PDB file of all heavy atoms in Angstrom:
ATOM      1  N   PHE A   1      20.130  42.835  66.597  1.00  0.00           N
ATOM      2  CA  PHE A   1      19.226  43.153  67.713  1.00  0.00           C
ATOM      3  C   PHE A   1      18.695  41.876  68.363  1.00  0.00           C
ATOM      4  O   PHE A   1      18.461  41.851  69.583  1.00  0.00           O
ATOM      5  CB  PHE A   1      18.079  44.036  67.234  1.00  0.00           C
ATOM      6  CG  PHE A   1      18.450  45.478  67.111  1.00  0.00           C
ATOM      7  CD1 PHE A   1      18.505  46.095  65.875  1.00  0.00           C
ATOM      8  CD2 PHE A   1      18.773  46.228  68.232  1.00  0.00           C
ATOM      9  CE1 PHE A   1      18.867  47.431  65.758  1.00  0.00           C
ATOM     10  CE2 PHE A   1      19.130  47.563  68.130  1.00  0.00           C
ATOM     11  CZ  PHE A   1      19.183  48.172  66.884  1.00  0.00           C
ATOM     12  N   LEU A   2      18.503  40.831  67.563  1.00  0.00           N
ATOM     13  CA  LEU A   2      18.054  39.565  68.132  1.00  0.00           C
ATOM     14  C   LEU A   2      19.084  39.023  69.123  1.00  0.00           C
ATOM     15  O   LEU A   2      18.749  38.680  70.263  1.00  0.00           O
ATOM     16  CB  LEU A   2      17.795  38.560  67.015  1.00  0.00           C
ATOM     17  CG  LEU A   2      17.216  37.192  67.426  1.00  0.00           C
ATOM     18  CD1 LEU A   2      16.288  36.668  66.342  1.00  0.00           C
ATOM     19  CD2 LEU A   2      18.304  36.156  67.678  1.00  0.00           C
ATOM     20  N   PHE A   3      20.348  38.970  68.697  1.00  0.00           N
ATOM     21  CA  PHE A   3      21.385  38.443  69.582  1.00  0.00           C
ATOM     22  C   PHE A   3      21.688  39.416  70.727  1.00  0.00           C
ATOM     23  O   PHE A   3      22.036  38.983  71.831  1.00  0.00           O
ATOM     24  CB  PHE A   3      22.653  38.137  68.787  1.00  0.00           C
ATOM     25  CG  PHE A   3      22.529  36.903  67.928  1.00  0.00           C
ATOM     26  CD1 PHE A   3      22.525  36.997  66.540  1.00  0.00           C
ATOM     27  CD2 PHE A   3      22.394  35.646  68.502  1.00  0.00           C
ATOM     28  CE1 PHE A   3      22.400  35.866  65.753  1.00  0.00           C
ATOM     29  CE2 PHE A   3      22.263  34.503  67.724  1.00  0.00           C
ATOM     30  CZ  PHE A   3      22.269  34.623  66.338  1.00  0.00           C
ATOM     31  N   TYR A   4      21.540  40.710  70.467  1.00  0.00           N
ATOM     32  CA  TYR A   4      21.703  41.700  71.540  1.00  0.00           C
ATOM     33  C   TYR A   4      20.746  41.392  72.692  1.00  0.00           C
ATOM     34  O   TYR A   4      21.114  41.469  73.865  1.00  0.00           O
ATOM     35  CB  TYR A   4      21.446  43.104  70.999  1.00  0.00           C
ATOM     36  CG  TYR A   4      21.451  44.189  72.050  1.00  0.00           C
ATOM     37  CD1 TYR A   4      22.627  44.824  72.420  1.00  0.00           C
ATOM     38  CD2 TYR A   4      20.255  44.582  72.671  1.00  0.00           C
ATOM     39  CE1 TYR A   4      22.630  45.821  73.393  1.00  0.00           C
ATOM     40  CE2 TYR A   4      20.244  45.572  73.635  1.00  0.00           C
ATOM     41  CZ  TYR A   4      21.437  46.186  73.990  1.00  0.00           C
ATOM     42  OH  TYR A   4      21.433  47.177  74.972  1.00  0.00           O
ATOM     43  N   ASN A   5      19.519  41.041  72.341  1.00  0.00           N
ATOM     44  CA  ASN A   5      18.517  40.737  73.370  1.00  0.00           C
ATOM     45  C   ASN A   5      18.687  39.340  73.956  1.00  0.00           C
ATOM     46  O   ASN A   5      18.250  39.099  75.087  1.00  0.00           O
ATOM     47  CB  ASN A   5      17.111  40.892  72.782  1.00  0.00           C
ATOM     48  CG  ASN A   5      16.694  42.338  72.637  1.00  0.00           C
ATOM     49  OD1 ASN A   5      16.249  42.975  73.579  1.00  0.00           O
ATOM     50  ND2 ASN A   5      16.866  42.884  71.432  1.00  0.00           N
ATOM     51  N   LEU A   6      19.309  38.437  73.218  1.00  0.00           N
ATOM     52  CA  LEU A   6      19.556  37.094  73.747  1.00  0.00           C
ATOM     53  C   LEU A   6      20.730  37.079  74.722  1.00  0.00           C
ATOM     54  O   LEU A   6      20.706  36.362  75.725  1.00  0.00           O
ATOM     55  CB  LEU A   6      19.830  36.114  72.605  1.00  0.00           C
ATOM     56  CG  LEU A   6      18.636  35.612  71.797  1.00  0.00           C
ATOM     57  CD1 LEU A   6      19.108  34.684  70.685  1.00  0.00           C
ATOM     58  CD2 LEU A   6      17.637  34.883  72.699  1.00  0.00           C
ATOM     59  N   PHE A   7      21.759  37.865  74.422  1.00  0.00           N
ATOM     60  CA  PHE A   7      22.951  37.866  75.271  1.00  0.00           C
ATOM     61  C   PHE A   7      22.653  38.548  76.606  1.00  0.00           C
ATOM     62  O   PHE A   7      22.045  39.619  76.651  1.00  0.00           O
ATOM     63  CB  PHE A   7      24.109  38.591  74.580  1.00  0.00           C
ATOM     64  CG  PHE A   7      24.618  37.905  73.337  1.00  0.00           C
ATOM     65  CD1 PHE A   7      25.289  38.622  72.354  1.00  0.00           C
ATOM     66  CD2 PHE A   7      24.423  36.542  73.142  1.00  0.00           C
ATOM     67  CE1 PHE A   7      25.765  37.997  71.211  1.00  0.00           C
ATOM     68  CE2 PHE A   7      24.891  35.902  72.002  1.00  0.00           C
ATOM     69  CZ  PHE A   7      25.566  36.639  71.034  1.00  0.00           C
ATOM     70  N   GLU A   8      23.096  37.929  77.668  1.00  0.00           N
ATOM     71  CA  GLU A   8      22.910  38.503  79.000  1.00  0.00           C
ATOM     72  C   GLU A   8      24.127  39.313  79.444  1.00  0.00           C
ATOM     73  O   GLU A   8      24.005  40.208  80.274  1.00  0.00           O
ATOM     74  CB  GLU A   8      22.629  37.380  80.008  1.00  0.00           C
ATOM     75  CG  GLU A   8      21.342  36.615  79.715  1.00  0.00           C
ATOM     76  CD  GLU A   8      21.102  35.490  80.704  1.00  0.00           C
ATOM     77  OE1 GLU A   8      21.969  35.283  81.585  1.00  0.00           O
ATOM     78  OE2 GLU A   8      20.065  34.815  80.583  1.00  0.00           O
ATOM     79  N   ASN A   9      25.283  38.989  78.892  1.00  0.00           N
ATOM     80  CA  ASN A   9      26.521  39.693  79.246  1.00  0.00           C
ATOM     81  C   ASN A   9      26.515  41.101  78.642  1.00  0.00           C
ATOM     82  O   ASN A   9      26.349  41.267  77.433  1.00  0.00           O
ATOM     83  CB  ASN A   9      27.720  38.888  78.726  1.00  0.00           C
ATOM     84  CG  ASN A   9      29.045  39.480  79.168  1.00  0.00           C
ATOM     85  OD1 ASN A   9      29.431  40.556  78.727  1.00  0.00           O
ATOM     86  ND2 ASN A   9      29.739  38.762  80.036  1.00  0.00           N
ATOM     87  N   ARG A  10      26.718  42.109  79.491  1.00  0.00           N
ATOM     88  CA  ARG A  10      26.649  43.496  79.036  1.00  0.00           C
ATOM     89  C   ARG A  10      27.760  43.822  78.042  1.00  0.00           C
ATOM     90  O   ARG A  10      27.550  44.598  77.100  1.00  0.00           O
ATOM     91  CB  ARG A  10      26.730  44.436  80.240  1.00  0.00           C
ATOM     92  CG  ARG A  10      26.603  45.911  79.884  1.00  0.00           C
ATOM     93  CD  ARG A  10      26.418  46.771  81.096  1.00  0.00           C
ATOM     94  NE  ARG A  10      25.152  46.500  81.754  1.00  0.00           N
ATOM     95  CZ  ARG A  10      24.717  47.155  82.833  1.00  0.00           C
ATOM     96  NH1 ARG A  10      25.475  48.107  83.390  1.00  0.00           N
ATOM     97  NH2 ARG A  10      23.561  46.865  83.371  1.00  0.00           N
ATOM     98  N   ILE A  11      28.937  43.234  78.232  1.00  0.00           N
ATOM     99  CA  ILE A  11      30.051  43.482  77.310  1.00  0.00           C
ATOM    100  C   ILE A  11      29.709  42.967  75.913  1.00  0.00           C
ATOM    101  O   ILE A  11      29.966  43.637  74.909  1.00  0.00           O
ATOM    102  CB  ILE A  11      31.348  42.813  77.827  1.00  0.00           C
ATOM    103  CG1 ILE A  11      31.783  43.470  79.143  1.00  0.00           C
ATOM    104  CG2 ILE A  11      32.461  42.929  76.787  1.00  0.00           C
ATOM    105  CD1 ILE A  11      33.006  42.829  79.768  1.00  0.00           C
ATOM    106  N   LEU A  12      29.121  41.770  75.848  1.00  0.00           N
ATOM    107  CA  LEU A  12      28.708  41.220  74.561  1.00  0.00           C
ATOM    108  C   LEU A  12      27.667  42.103  73.881  1.00  0.00           C
ATOM    109  O   LEU A  12      27.703  42.301  72.660  1.00  0.00           O
ATOM    110  CB  LEU A  12      28.148  39.807  74.744  1.00  0.00           C
ATOM    111  CG  LEU A  12      29.155  38.673  74.962  1.00  0.00           C
ATOM    112  CD1 LEU A  12      28.423  37.352  75.204  1.00  0.00           C
ATOM    113  CD2 LEU A  12      30.088  38.550  73.760  1.00  0.00           C
ATOM    114  N   LYS A  13      26.749  42.624  74.668  1.00  0.00           N
ATOM    115  CA  LYS A  13      25.738  43.522  74.113  1.00  0.00           C
ATOM    116  C   LYS A  13      26.393  44.743  73.474  1.00  0.00           C
ATOM    117  O   LYS A  13      26.035  45.157  72.360  1.00  0.00           O
ATOM    118  CB  LYS A  13      24.769  43.967  75.212  1.00  0.00           C
ATOM    119  CG  LYS A  13      23.792  42.895  75.682  1.00  0.00           C
ATOM    120  CD  LYS A  13      22.931  43.430  76.804  1.00  0.00           C
ATOM    121  CE  LYS A  13      21.863  42.446  77.247  1.00  0.00           C
ATOM    122  NZ  LYS A  13      20.759  42.313  76.267  1.00  0.00           N
ATOM    123  N   HIS A  14      27.371  45.319  74.176  1.00  0.00           N
ATOM    124  CA  HIS A  14      28.066  46.496  73.647  1.00  0.00           C
ATOM    125  C   HIS A  14      28.844  46.153  72.383  1.00  0.00           C
ATOM    126  O   HIS A  14      28.882  46.949  71.433  1.00  0.00           O
ATOM    127  CB  HIS A  14      29.013  47.069  74.706  1.00  0.00           C
ATOM    128  CG  HIS A  14      28.304  47.742  75.831  1.00  0.00           C
ATOM    129  ND1 HIS A  14      28.890  47.973  77.068  1.00  0.00           N
ATOM    130  CD2 HIS A  14      27.037  48.231  75.937  1.00  0.00           C
ATOM    131  CE1 HIS A  14      28.023  48.576  77.861  1.00  0.00           C
ATOM    132  NE2 HIS A  14      26.898  48.740  77.196  1.00  0.00           N
ATOM    133  N   ILE A  15      29.451  44.976  72.359  1.00  0.00           N
ATOM    134  CA  ILE A  15      30.216  44.548  71.186  1.00  0.00           C
ATOM    135  C   ILE A  15      29.304  44.420  69.965  1.00  0.00           C
ATOM    136  O   ILE A  15      29.683  44.811  68.852  1.00  0.00           O
ATOM    137  CB  ILE A  15      30.928  43.202  71.460  1.00  0.00           C
ATOM    138  CG1 ILE A  15      32.066  43.414  72.463  1.00  0.00           C
ATOM    139  CG2 ILE A  15      31.467  42.596  70.166  1.00  0.00           C
ATOM    140  CD1 ILE A  15      32.749  42.135  72.903  1.00  0.00           C
ATOM    141  N   VAL A  16      28.100  43.886  70.165  1.00  0.00           N
ATOM    142  CA  VAL A  16      27.146  43.738  69.063  1.00  0.00           C
ATOM    143  C   VAL A  16      26.811  45.107  68.458  1.00  0.00           C
ATOM    144  O   VAL A  16      26.806  45.276  67.227  1.00  0.00           O
ATOM    145  CB  VAL A  16      25.860  43.037  69.546  1.00  0.00           C
ATOM    146  CG1 VAL A  16      24.773  43.111  68.472  1.00  0.00           C
ATOM    147  CG2 VAL A  16      26.144  41.582  69.891  1.00  0.00           C
ATOM    148  N   ILE A  17      26.541  46.097  69.307  1.00  0.00           N
ATOM    149  CA  ILE A  17      26.188  47.433  68.820  1.00  0.00           C
ATOM    150  C   ILE A  17      27.383  48.094  68.137  1.00  0.00           C
ATOM    151  O   ILE A  17      27.242  48.713  67.071  1.00  0.00           O
ATOM    152  CB  ILE A  17      25.683  48.312  69.979  1.00  0.00           C
ATOM    153  CG1 ILE A  17      24.396  47.726  70.566  1.00  0.00           C
ATOM    154  CG2 ILE A  17      25.440  49.748  69.497  1.00  0.00           C
ATOM    155  CD1 ILE A  17      23.256  47.605  69.583  1.00  0.00           C
ATOM    156  N   ILE A  18      28.560  47.958  68.729  1.00  0.00           N
ATOM    157  CA  ILE A  18      29.769  48.544  68.133  1.00  0.00           C
ATOM    158  C   ILE A  18      30.050  47.926  66.767  1.00  0.00           C
ATOM    159  O   ILE A  18      30.393  48.627  65.808  1.00  0.00           O
ATOM    160  CB  ILE A  18      30.978  48.351  69.073  1.00  0.00           C
ATOM    161  CG1 ILE A  18      30.812  49.214  70.330  1.00  0.00           C
ATOM    162  CG2 ILE A  18      32.291  48.716  68.365  1.00  0.00           C
ATOM    163  CD1 ILE A  18      31.838  48.932  71.413  1.00  0.00           C
ATOM    164  N   ASN A  19      29.895  46.607  66.672  1.00  0.00           N
ATOM    165  CA  ASN A  19      30.113  45.923  65.394  1.00  0.00           C
ATOM    166  C   ASN A  19      29.120  46.386  64.330  1.00  0.00           C
ATOM    167  O   ASN A  19      29.480  46.573  63.163  1.00  0.00           O
ATOM    168  CB  ASN A  19      29.992  44.411  65.568  1.00  0.00           C
ATOM    169  CG  ASN A  19      31.211  43.798  66.222  1.00  0.00           C
ATOM    170  OD1 ASN A  19      32.293  44.379  66.221  1.00  0.00           O
ATOM    171  ND2 ASN A  19      31.052  42.617  66.803  1.00  0.00           N
ATOM    172  N   LEU A  20      27.863  46.576  64.730  1.00  0.00           N
ATOM    173  CA  LEU A  20      26.834  47.019  63.795  1.00  0.00           C
ATOM    174  C   LEU A  20      27.152  48.406  63.251  1.00  0.00           C
ATOM    175  O   LEU A  20      27.191  48.616  62.032  1.00  0.00           O
ATOM    176  CB  LEU A  20      25.469  47.013  64.484  1.00  0.00           C
ATOM    177  CG  LEU A  20      24.274  47.516  63.656  1.00  0.00           C
ATOM    178  CD1 LEU A  20      24.037  46.606  62.441  1.00  0.00           C
ATOM    179  CD2 LEU A  20      23.020  47.599  64.513  1.00  0.00           C
ATOM    180  N   LEU A  21      27.411  49.341  64.154  1.00  0.00           N
ATOM    181  CA  LEU A  21      27.676  50.716  63.734  1.00  0.00           C
ATOM    182  C   LEU A  21      29.011  50.828  63.001  1.00  0.00           C
ATOM    183  O   LEU A  21      29.121  51.537  61.991  1.00  0.00           O
ATOM    184  CB  LEU A  21      27.661  51.645  64.960  1.00  0.00           C
ATOM    185  CG  LEU A  21      26.325  51.737  65.712  1.00  0.00           C
ATOM    186  CD1 LEU A  21      26.455  52.644  66.929  1.00  0.00           C
ATOM    187  CD2 LEU A  21      25.220  52.243  64.793  1.00  0.00           C
ATOM    188  N   GLY A  22      30.028  50.109  63.502  1.00  0.00           N
ATOM    189  CA  GLY A  22      31.338  50.144  62.866  1.00  0.00           C
ATOM    190  C   GLY A  22      31.314  49.565  61.463  1.00  0.00           C
ATOM    191  O   GLY A  22      31.941  50.097  60.536  1.00  0.00           O
ATOM    192  N   SER A  23      30.568  48.476  61.283  1.00  0.00           N
ATOM    193  CA  SER A  23      30.458  47.843  59.969  1.00  0.00           C
ATOM    194  C   SER A  23      29.768  48.773  58.980  1.00  0.00           C
ATOM    195  O   SER A  23      30.204  48.913  57.829  1.00  0.00           O
ATOM    196  CB  SER A  23      29.681  46.529  60.076  1.00  0.00           C
ATOM    197  OG  SER A  23      30.336  45.623  60.932  1.00  0.00           O
ATOM    198  N   TRP A  24      28.689  49.408  59.413  1.00  0.00           N
ATOM    199  CA  TRP A  24      27.968  50.305  58.518  1.00  0.00           C
ATOM    200  C   TRP A  24      28.794  51.540  58.163  1.00  0.00           C
ATOM    201  O   TRP A  24      28.704  52.042  57.042  1.00  0.00           O
ATOM    202  CB  TRP A  24      26.638  50.697  59.158  1.00  0.00           C
ATOM    203  CG  TRP A  24      25.588  49.647  58.957  1.00  0.00           C
ATOM    204  CD1 TRP A  24      25.725  48.474  58.264  1.00  0.00           C
ATOM    205  CD2 TRP A  24      24.244  49.675  59.439  1.00  0.00           C
ATOM    206  NE1 TRP A  24      24.544  47.759  58.290  1.00  0.00           N
ATOM    207  CE2 TRP A  24      23.627  48.465  58.993  1.00  0.00           C
ATOM    208  CE3 TRP A  24      23.510  50.572  60.189  1.00  0.00           C
ATOM    209  CZ2 TRP A  24      22.300  48.162  59.290  1.00  0.00           C
ATOM    210  CZ3 TRP A  24      22.186  50.285  60.483  1.00  0.00           C
ATOM    211  CH2 TRP A  24      21.591  49.083  60.040  1.00  0.00           C
TER     212      TRP A  24
END
């Protein structure tokens, strides 16, 4: 969530969330 809020690129934001949910 920290890096999600730091990243300005929307694609990167989506990748962070997908990685989090996919990993879990």
